[in-house]
Amino acid sequence: MADLAQLAAIAADEHARRSSAARRKVAAGELPEHVANRELMPWHAIAVLCGAPGVLAQEVTDYRRTIVHYPGNGAPAVYGHLLPEQDARWELASALCAPGSWREALGKARDAALGKATTPERVARARNLCILARALDVPLTAASCARPVTPERKAA
């Protein structure tokens, strides 16, 4: 299992790559800004869940602060209660994008990266997406379990 720092670094890198690509497409007029923002939502949610540095950090802090917490079972209300950070991250990520949507986006990205893993850089990216998907319980697909296509297999 990957450690939290590794997951945060992988999520931050993937978030930065996708945000940069979206900005380029918007600047080139290939994609309207609202569509680019919608397509980035799953990656914002993934980055928030993994604790990627700088990604919606203030929003996570705001989600931790609740005005009143009602513990139930007749216990009195608790004022100034702070949610645990991971719970706040989950709440914010769920508000940004439904878990099924970000899991689907991550699964598709993992499968696409595995299919393109022909250079050392692409292999590293595919490996990182696999680590991220495994840590976030993204189910395996037939594409993610297939053997990679090598030039020798293509020729055969």
Side-chain angles (χ1 to χ4, degrees):
M1 184 81 179
D3 67 352
L4 296 178
Q6 182 184 21
L7 289 177
I10 293 169
D13 179 58
E14 198 62 32
H15 182 268
R17 285 176 187 252
R18 291 178 182 276
S19 295
S20 177
R23 282 192 302 273
R24 280 194 309 273
K25 287 180 181 180
V26 169
E30 297 174 19
L31 198 63
E33 188 171 357
H34 72 280
V35 173
N37 289 337
R38 184 180 66 227
E39 289 178 1
L40 283 174
M41 280 302 151
W43 300 100
H44 290 318
I46 291 166
V48 165
L49 281 171
C50 293
V55 179
L56 301 174
Q58 184 58 48
E59 287 81 351
V60 171
T61 301
D62 291 343
Y63 262 77
R64 287 196 71 201
R65 293 184 189 131
T66 59
I67 298 170
V68 180
H69 171 66
Y70 296 99
N73 294 331
V78 178
Y79 295 90
H81 177 76
L82 284 178
L83 285 175
E85 185 175 344
Q86 197 55 39
D87 291 351
R89 289 186 176 285
W90 180 260
E91 293 294 327
L92 176 57
S94 296
L96 291 170
C97 182
S101 296
W102 61 255
R103 280 192 173 101
E104 180 182 354
L106 180 53
K108 284 181 179 180
R110 173 201 55 206
D111 295 350
L114 286 168
K116 297 176 186 176
T118 56
T119 65
E121 180 182 303
R122 287 183 173 183
V123 168
R125 186 171 184 197
R127 184 175 292 121
N128 285 341
L129 286 167
C130 287
I131 290 168
L132 203 57
R134 188 176 329 117
L136 295 175
D137 295 325
V138 174
L140 294 173
T141 63
S144 60
C145 295
R147 288 184 48 194
V149 176
T150 60
E152 300 83 33
R153 286 185 59 209
K154 275 187 179 178

